[in-house]
């Protein structure tokens, strides 16, 4: 049962400061380290903020829009150790994956980042995957470690090659193709 005192409200840009298990009720959370994307967390997902993995607050959880979180005491009780270990393993895997793709050409980095974002928070509609409108081109360029200008060139190529739509909303076309190509990388 959800109690008002267990809810945490964050405005866009505010950081999560609570430790423990949190369930995202509404909105999107960006998880980064040193300004680099680790993952996105969408509604219905549970995540754990922990001092064990978060060396000197190096992992930051930030609201990408207005967010409602629920403190989850379930995680803190029975399966606390297992849930925390599983989350920490996931975060570490994501960090190592991002390190690995830094050596890819910019287009491959961008494709991998798009796949991960869509996988984290996208909605599959028909055969495509729609990403919520919470990102700007500057952020996507930062995630892919390239300039906005170069990202614009890559984006035009991806539109021409049928990977994404030419629209303001980020839509990954033929989601099954994306999963076949990038499903093992992320």
């Amino acid at each position: 049962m959800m109690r008002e005192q267990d809810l945490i409200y964050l405005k866009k840009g505010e950081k999560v400061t609570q430790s423990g298990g949190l369930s995202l009720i509404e909105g999107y959370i960006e998880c980064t380290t040193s300004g680099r994307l680790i993952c996105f967390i969408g509604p219905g997902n549970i995540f754990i903020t922990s001092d064990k993995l978060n060396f000197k607050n190096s992992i930051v959880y930030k609201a990408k829009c207005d967010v409602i979180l629920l403190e989850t005491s379930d995680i803190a009780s029975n399966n606390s150790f297992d849930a925390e270990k599983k989350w920490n393993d996931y975060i570490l895997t994501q960090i190592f994956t991002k390190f690995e793709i830094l050596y890819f050409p910019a287009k491959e980095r961008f494709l991998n980042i798009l796949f991960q974002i869509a996988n984290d928070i996208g909605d599959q509609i028909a055969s495509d995957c729609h990403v919520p409108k919470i990102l700007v081109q500057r952020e996507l360029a930062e995630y892919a470690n390239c300039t906005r200008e170069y990202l614009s060139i890559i984006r035009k190529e991806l539109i021409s090659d049928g990977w994404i739509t030419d629209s303001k909303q980020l839509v990954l076309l033929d989601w099954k193709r994306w999963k076949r190509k990038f499903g093992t990388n992320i």
Side-chain angles (χ1 to χ4, degrees):
M1 181 167 158
M2 204 178 322
R3 300 178 323 193
E4 183 64 32
Q5 64 264 30
D6 295 332
L7 295 177
I8 301 162
Y9 297 89
L10 298 176
K11 296 283 183 199
K12 179 179 179 176
E14 289 184 326
K15 295 176 183 172
V16 175
T17 56
Q18 291 76 8
S19 277
L22 299 167
S23 178
L24 188 55
I25 304 299
E26 186 176 299
Y28 299 92
I29 297 283
E30 172 191 59
C31 177
T32 60
T33 184
S34 301
R36 300 283 179 209
L37 177 67
I38 296 174
C39 67
F40 277 97
I41 304 163
N45 289 307
I46 294 174
F47 64 102
I48 299 170
T49 57
S50 165
D51 296 333
K52 290 178 189 168
L53 183 64
N54 198 4
F55 314 105
K56 298 186 180 182
N57 297 319
S58 62
I59 297 177
V60 176
Y61 297 89
K62 185 171 75 173
K64 292 300 293 175
C65 53
D66 290 351
V67 165
I68 301 174
L69 297 166
L70 173 66
E71 289 188 75
T72 56
S73 55
D74 295 347
I75 289 176
S77 61
N78 299 345
N79 300 324
S80 173
F81 179 77
D82 289 341
E84 188 171 349
K85 182 180 179 337
K86 187 175 179 181
W87 180 255
N88 290 347
D89 288 348
Y90 171 74
I91 293 296
L92 288 172
T93 300
Q94 290 302 315
I95 290 170
F96 287 124
T97 299
K98 298 309 174 297
F99 181 73
E100 200 174 53
I101 68 171
L102 279 177
Y103 295 100
F104 293 175
K107 185 176 179 180
E108 283 295 308
R109 283 195 309 269
F110 185 55
L111 284 164
N112 274 274
I113 292 296
L114 286 181
F115 177 75
Q116 185 212 338
I117 293 169
N119 208 36
D120 286 349
I121 58 172
D123 291 317
Q124 189 170 347
I125 300 172
S127 63
D128 305 327
C129 190
H130 296 244
V131 176
K133 296 178 191 178
I134 59 169
L135 301 167
V136 295
Q137 187 154 326
R138 175 189 50 78
E139 292 169 312
L140 290 170
E142 286 173 13
Y143 300 152
N145 199 29
C146 66
T147 65
R148 286 192 330 245
E149 295 78 15
Y150 193 58
L151 183 72
S152 189
I153 292 167
I154 295 170
R155 189 175 175 277
K156 286 177 186 171
E157 284 180 29
L158 296 179
I159 291 167
S160 169
D161 294 344
W163 284 98
I164 60 175
T165 58
D166 185 9
S167 66
K168 294 253 184 226
Q169 181 172 15
L170 190 53
V171 179
L172 285 66
L173 300 171
D174 190 1
W175 185 233
K176 285 182 182 175
R177 176 175 66 154
W178 281 85
K179 288 197 287 189
R180 278 191 311 272
K181 176 128 174 100
F182 300 102
T184 58
N185 293 345
I186 301 290

